[in-house]
Amino acid sequence: MSKTLDQRYIKVAQACLKILNNLVPGADRSKQIQELHSAIENAVNDLYKQQEQELGRVYATLRAIEALPDDPKSLEQAKALARQATPTAH
């Protein structure tokens, strides 16, 4: 698993732990379960949102590479675009 993805999963775990650490004995159990569920859902939604944004940037880069003219300079341009779009953490 990539370091970036590990960090994102850690954020999901931290959101869960924050709720679990603040559980109140004797409080409404179903409300606490709902809070945990909401924390997980929000953290996972944030994770997917970030991944969708990254994927959108990569698709835009691929479309830009596809639109390059067929000439020798295009290969270098394509490489530069690919380097810009590729996360360094992979």
Side-chain angles (χ1 to χ4, degrees), residues 4-71:
T4 302
L5 195 54
D6 284 344
Q7 291 170 343
R8 291 177 183 166
Y9 283 122
I10 287 170
K11 287 182 182 181
V12 173
Q14 287 172 334
C16 295
L17 287 173
K18 181 178 179 183
I19 297 297
L20 291 172
N21 287 334
N22 293 316
L23 290 179
V24 179
D28 181 6
R29 187 89 170 136
S30 64
K31 182 180 178 191
Q32 292 179 1
I33 291 170
Q34 183 58 43
E35 288 175 2
L36 179 59
H37 178 269
S38 294
I40 293 169
E41 185 174 9
N42 290 338
V44 169
N45 284 340
D46 287 345
L47 171 69
Y48 285 136
K49 182 190 230 181
Q50 291 171 357
Q51 289 176 332
E52 286 175 356
Q53 290 171 349
E54 286 178 9
L55 188 59
R57 284 191 294 274
V58 170
Y59 281 146
T61 301
L62 288 173
R63 285 191 290 275
I65 290 170
E66 180 183 37
L68 291 173
D70 287 335
D71 62 39

